[in-house]
Amino acid sequence: MYNDNPTINNLKDKSVDESRQGEALDLKTPNTEGGKKFYIESYGCAMNFSDSEIVASILSKEGYSSCTTFTDADLILINTCSIREKAEKNVRQRLRVFDKTKDKKPGVLVGVLGCMAERLKTKFLEEEKLVDMVVGPDAYRDLPKLIAEADDGGKGVNVFLSREETYADISPVRLGSNGVTAFISITRGCDNMCSFCVVPFTRGRERSREPFSIVAEAQDLVNRGYREVTLLGQNVDSYKWKNPETEEMVTFARLLEMVAQVDPRMRVRFSTSHPKDLNNEVLYTITKYHNICNYIHLPVQSGNSRILELMNRTYDREWYKERIDKIYEVIPDCTISSDIITGFCTETDEDHKDTLSLIEYSNFILSYMFKYSERPGTIAHRKYEDDVPEEVKKKRLTEIVDLQNALSLKSNLKDVGETFEVLIEGDSKKSADEFRGRNQYNKMLVFPKNEGLKPGDYVFVKVRDVNSATLLGDIVKHHETFNA
Ligand code: 5AD
Ligand code: SF4
């Protein structure tokens, strides 16, 4: 679910939202003529993109309007990712480019947000002299004050993590939006402490957002024509919120149901699930509602039980297989995707083969596959040696990618001749004569346009041809409402 490549509020990561690829930021805030302008660039996971929308909301209340070219901006913000070394390197490179703008326009402020800000704190200011603000993921409400401090020639810093902050009351301003699909953040932080992962250190303790504000946000999106929401969290299945008045506990399954009931025309997705927390109640809730997509992103990380233990994933190979079996038993047509790390500390060729065989067993339609990248301060960094040579990591990664591509193609080939209900998200990348949209299984379809149809409409598309990434087809029927 992470993307190490720079994008301007659009996601190259297609399982998150391919429709936002290649689109410039388009922020629907009043254009305050002569007022201050900000530019924001986001890296990494969907949560970061979602946070940038909270930041945009906070700034628009301060009279800022957005711009899509950083050279036009008075305030340049970069929302950063620390998940792998490469992600951090990308940010450093980008800062070199912003430095040049500052040389030409001395009043411009540059702020670093997100996980790198949290990880490096004031060290960032020592290392990057032209950075004016360092703001951690729980401190965005403080931005107006920090901007004022930086404007006065100081440095604005707030990297305090919170046990409560969920930004529940802030209405995100949708950035680079296609007007059809949106993220809703439901939890923040992570308590899992997977040994390879920097997230618990950069995003703090897990907390769940109050459910009524989530439902209200979903309702508002429907009212504005949106037709798909993705409930976001590092570990959505551990969502829990206790009503202080009734003592009633809202679990993730219950929340899913509450959001599904907002409007049958609105699809519901969620990400990311942890295998230890994805329970049967969630699976049964998925089957109960037509508008909850039969698709689960369930990162396995490794197929070997010894490595899983070193990773502190708290499940083993057999547990994961049981979860996969249960998903296919309860939701036979469900598609599953995964994240995989190759070359974790002490991983042998035999361990790697276990990963290959579990990928095959699980029949993932898609995986995000990474070479292990040691992150400072993590348990693995402190306890284990990063001892798998780079060439071995590379070779294993290639094997995993090849296997996954073959599985994706096989799965897509089975779809030839099938007809799917597709939500139109926008024009296809290649041609303005074609639409693109996903089916509930998170597969992208491309098909010639029919007159009168627009993004946000549902259509039935019959698949004529496929490759490992996309299904090509033709509209056979369209309808106004979801259940028509
Ligand atoms: N090295 C490589 N990949 C990592 N991920 C998390 N930490 C690391 C790391 N140190 C991957 C995991 C996770 C995804 C978001 O990023 O697969 O699920
Ligand atoms: Fe990182 Fe594990 Fe939490 Fe995911 S569940 S954010 S991999 S610690």
Side-chain angles (χ1 to χ4, degrees), residues 96 99 102 124-132 155:
R96 297 289 72 75
D99 285 352
K102 269 197 93 160
F124 221 116
L125 297 173
E126 289 155 29
E127 291 171 9
E128 303 281 349
K129 297 279 180 243
L130 289 176
V131 167
D132 303 285
K155 299 276 181 184

Side-chain angles (χ1 to χ4, degrees), residues 8-9 23-27 38-41 66-68 175-176:
I8 304 167
N9 281 305
E23 283 179 9
L25 178 152
D26 174 22
L27 175 53
F38 78 94
Y39 168 90
I40 188 163
E41 194 168 287
S66 72
C67 58
T68 52
L175 295 167

Side-chain angles (χ1 to χ4, degrees), residues 1-2 83-84 196-198 272 297 299 301 313 339-341 368 370-375 378:
M1 287 266 147
Y2 281 69
I83 199 95
R84 282 170 290 277
F196 51 79
C197 188
V198 76
T272 296
H297 183 63
Q301 313 297 359
R313 289 291 288 180
D339 292 347
I340 293 148
I341 297 178
Y368 297 91
F370 313 102
K371 284 181 287 174
Y372 171 58
S373 164
E374 187 177 72
R375 305 312 295 134
T378 56

Side-chain angles (χ1 to χ4, degrees), residues 148-372:
E149 279 169 22
D151 258 337
D152 284 346
K155 299 276 181 184
V157 181
N158 187 345
V159 288
F160 289 112
L161 288 173
S162 159
R163 277 177 177 264
E164 287 97 36
E165 181 62 89
T166 58
Y167 300 113
D169 57 316
I170 293 182
S171 267
V173 174
R174 305 292 163 185
L175 295 167
S177 172
N178 57 13
V180 178
T181 61
F183 296 122
I184 301 184
S185 134
I186 64 161
T187 66
R188 294 183 73 81
C190 184
D191 285 347
N192 284 332
M193 298 302 275
C194 298
S195 65
F196 51 79
C197 188
V198 76
V199 168
F201 304 95
T202 60
R203 288 191 160 266
R205 299 303 298 268
E206 185 179 298
R207 63 222 99 114
S208 298
R209 176 176 165 189
E210 176 272 297
F212 306 107
S213 70
I214 296 171
V215 169
E217 193 173 325
Q219 183 66 62
D220 176 57
L221 285 165
V222 176
N223 296 347
R224 292 196 283 133
Y226 283 79
R227 290 293 175 263
E228 182 181 298
V229 292
T230 301
L231 305 181
L232 274 188
Q234 239 68 48
N235 179 10
V236 286
D237 300 86
S238 67
Y239 176 93
K240 53 179 171 318
W241 184 84
K242 192 172 174 183
N243 188 328
E245 277 148 35
T246 61
E247 303 260 303
E248 187 212 0
M249 192 62 95
V250 179
T251 61
F252 179 60
R254 177 71 193 117
L255 178 74
L256 203 51
E257 183 154 43
M258 287 162 74
V259 178
Q261 285 168 344
V262 167
D263 195 310
R265 292 170 303 173
M266 188 167 68
R267 275 184 178 172
V268 186
R269 299 183 186 277
F270 54 91
S271 185
T272 296
S273 292
H274 192 296
K276 79 173 160 56
D277 297 311
L278 177 76
N279 57 42
N280 298 345
E281 212 193 329
V282 170
L283 302 182
Y284 294 124
T285 307
I286 295 174
T287 61
K288 218 167 123 186
Y289 291 90
H290 177 66
N291 57 335
I292 304 180
C293 294
N294 292 1
Y295 165 72
I296 299 173
H297 183 63
L298 195 68
V300 65
Q301 313 297 359
S302 165
N304 175 266
S305 293
R306 185 184 65 84
I307 294 292
L308 285 169
E309 185 161 359
L310 287 182
M311 286 177 161
N312 199 24
R313 289 291 288 180
T314 69
Y315 58 86
D316 60 10
R317 180 184 172 87
E318 292 314 310
W319 173 282
Y320 191 85
K321 283 170 82 174
E322 189 279 331
R323 287 290 77 201
I324 294 290
D325 293 346
K326 193 72 191 176
I327 294 171
Y328 289 139
E329 178 200 316
V330 178
I331 318 164
D333 62 337
C334 196
T335 52
I336 305 171
S337 61
S338 192
D339 292 347
I340 293 148
I341 297 178
T342 189
F344 188 65
C345 313
T346 77
E347 187 189 71
T348 64
D349 274 335
E350 286 307 305
D351 302 337
H352 166 62
K353 282 190 188 130
D354 282 345
T355 299
L356 291 170
S357 71
L358 192 52
I359 294 173
E360 199 142 22
Y361 182 89
S362 309
N363 203 14
F364 300 133
I365 57 148
L366 172 101
S367 289
Y368 297 91
M369 302 157 278
F370 313 102
K371 284 181 287 174
Y372 171 58

